[in-house]
Amino acid sequence: IQNHHNPTCINGGHFNPAVSLAATLIGGLNLVMLLPYWIAQLCGGLIGAALAKVVSPEERFWNASGAAFVTVQEPGQVVGAVVAELILTTLLALAVCIGAINEKTQGPLAPFSIGFAVTVDILAGGAVSGACMNPARAFGPAVVANHWDFHWIYWLGPLLASLLVGLLIRLFIGDGKTRLILKGR
């Protein structure tokens, strides 16, 4: 399956269900491919978490500072964590969609922009929510550690961010082919 925006790219390299949803909403990923992507991404999260557990000493694995399953410990942190995941994932998904998918704005600096967005997100939100920005990255450790407290945060925030990015690009900042309104520019 080739990305019609970049014929040299086979699949866009998404490993984040939230980014894949945003890409689908703006026309950068075929809707039929969304579920297979999500399944593969969740499997990747599981394999990654299992490998991390295998290669880590037991006490290190359970002292995973900043990990999605240890940052939020009490109900009072929930709203801040959901808002943080929403904002952080919005920044990441915008960097991917505008830098790598949207024809008018895509360019050779997209990988740098995406990496910079992830770095900024981790520095800004690591202490608030774990700066997960990726439901698959939360899912793998949750399964391996069997720790489901507040796990829904790492689905709700990023998936809401995907919807927000899809709306922003489709309505306001996408190229003329992508926008549903304001087609003239």
Side-chain angles (χ1 to χ4, degrees), residues 93-117:
L94 275 172
V96 172
C97 290
I98 294 297
I101 298 172
N102 192 63
E103 284 184 10
K104 185 171 85 174
T105 54
Q106 71 182 166
L109 290 179
F112 173 78
S113 301
I114 294 164
F116 187 70

Side-chain angles (χ1 to χ4, degrees), residues 81-82 85-87 89-90 152-162:
V82 171
E85 288 295 316
L86 172 74
I87 293 168
T89 309
T90 297
W152 59 271
I153 290 169
Y154 304 102
W155 288 84
L156 180 65
L159 294 178
L160 285 176
S162 301

Side-chain angles (χ1 to χ4, degrees), residues 1-5 9-12 14 17 19-38 41 101 170:
I1 296 139
Q2 291 198 321
N3 179 333
H4 66 278
H5 298 294
C9 181
I10 300 301
N11 67 7
H14 311 168
V19 170
S20 295
L21 177 59
T24 301
L25 293 174
I26 68 162
L29 179 67
N30 189 317
L31 180 61
V32 175
M33 294 306 298
L34 186 59
L35 186 60
Y37 265 63
W38 280 358
Q41 291 159 343
I101 298 172
R170 283 291 189 176

Side-chain angles (χ1 to χ4, degrees), residues 114-130:
I114 294 164
F116 187 70
V118 170
T119 302
V120 168
D121 282 355
I122 291 168
L123 293 173
V128 178
S129 67

